[in-house]
Amino acid sequence: MSSPVVAEELPNLEATNFLKLLKAADEPLWDGCTKQSKLSTCVQLLNMKSTLNLTQTAFNKFIDFTKGCMPNDENLVSNFYDAKKFMWPLGLGYEKYDVCPNYCMLYYGADAMKINCDFYGRSRYKPRNLTSKGSNKADKQLRYFPLTPRLQRLFMSPYHAKDMTWHHFHKLDNEVMVHHLIGRHERSLIMST
């Protein structure tokens, strides 16, 4: 008797791109480099840009200098644009929404086209010179980091998917809640109040 054939589902485009990025975690920065990978270096450089509040020009000049100090077979990104493009499959993007300068209103959904705050009447946009060209600039913005892509990435890994569904498969009576610490595989009983 033959065993049943199980068809493996092919990953979608986002999952494929994410898996390619994970391979970069094993890709050395140059042949023989054992301390850094292409991915770890790119992440650290972008972190420095953010924490040190570097401009794109400063970041690009820093990359040029760094590349000049490395062997010719280096595998480092060329500039800020390439670094962002390289990291895009991680799904760390965000959505920007205009908010009232007093933080009392979000210009979203039915309010997306409004120009003044419903509560204080303040303008949504920065004042601008009448001779300047271009579109209005929002006075304040909110950056929203969507949850769905992050959950999808966690469920790509069988290890993390098992941890995230642990509560569903380990239900107990209503008097005791069982908590599973992800990564440690420890259980602690917390008495409900």
Side-chain angles (χ1 to χ4, degrees):
M1 179 174 204
S2 65
S3 61
V5 177
V6 177
E8 187 173 313
E9 185 178 342
L10 295 174
N12 63 19
L13 181 61
E14 287 179 14
T16 303
N17 290 338
F18 179 71
L19 294 173
K20 283 181 191 175
L21 183 62
L22 288 182
K23 285 182 184 176
D26 296 329
E27 191 177 331
L29 199 52
W30 65 81
D31 286 338
C33 178
T34 58
K35 293 186 177 185
Q36 295 285 337
S37 70
K38 181 179 181 180
L39 178 63
S40 68
T41 304
C42 190
V43 167
Q44 290 175 34
L45 287 169
L46 288 171
N47 183 40
M48 283 192 290
K49 181 192 179 313
S50 176
T51 56
L52 299 175
N53 201 18
L54 296 176
T55 64
Q56 288 184 24
T57 304
F59 182 86
N60 291 342
K61 287 185 181 214
F62 182 73
I63 292 286
D64 289 342
F65 173 76
T66 305
K67 286 173 90 68
C69 297
M70 299 172 122
N72 290 337
D73 63 343
E74 53 81 18
N75 201 11
L76 186 62
V77 293
S78 300
N79 53 38
F80 180 65
Y81 174 78
D82 288 342
K84 281 178 53 176
K85 187 176 168 185
F86 177 70
M87 297 300 293
W88 184 254
L90 272 180
L92 300 175
Y94 56 86
E95 298 168 15
K96 290 193 284 188
Y97 298 105
D98 295 351
V99 296
C100 173
N102 293 333
Y103 301 105
C104 60
M105 181 175 172
L106 179 68
Y107 295 100
Y108 174 76
D111 298 329
M113 302 307 292
K114 290 187 177 178
I115 296 174
N116 293 318
C117 170
D118 288 344
F119 302 99
Y120 298 103
R122 285 201 52 188
S123 175
R124 168 184 186 167
Y125 302 109
K126 291 181 181 179
R128 67 179 203 164
N129 190 343
L130 296 176
T131 60
S132 65
K133 295 182 181 178
S135 61
N136 291 323
K137 303 247 185 218
D139 201 0
K140 298 275 183 188
Q141 286 189 322
L142 166 87
R143 285 167 176 80
Y144 166 68
F145 298 91
L147 180 62
T148 304
R150 286 156 174 74
L151 290 174
Q152 288 172 336
R153 280 194 310 278
L154 287 170
F155 277 102
M156 281 185 204
S157 162
Y159 173 77
H160 290 297
K162 181 182 173 191
D163 285 343
M164 292 185 62
T165 57
W166 190 90
H167 285 91
H168 177 73
F169 296 107
H170 295 84
K171 294 180 180 175
L172 295 178
D173 60 35
N174 290 338
E175 294 182 26
V176 177
M177 180 177 80
V178 177
H179 180 68
H180 177 74
L181 297 175
I182 295 176
R184 292 186 170 197
H185 299 288
E186 298 173 347
R187 295 181 194 156
S188 61
L189 294 176
I190 301 171
M191 299 304 288
S192 63
T193 55

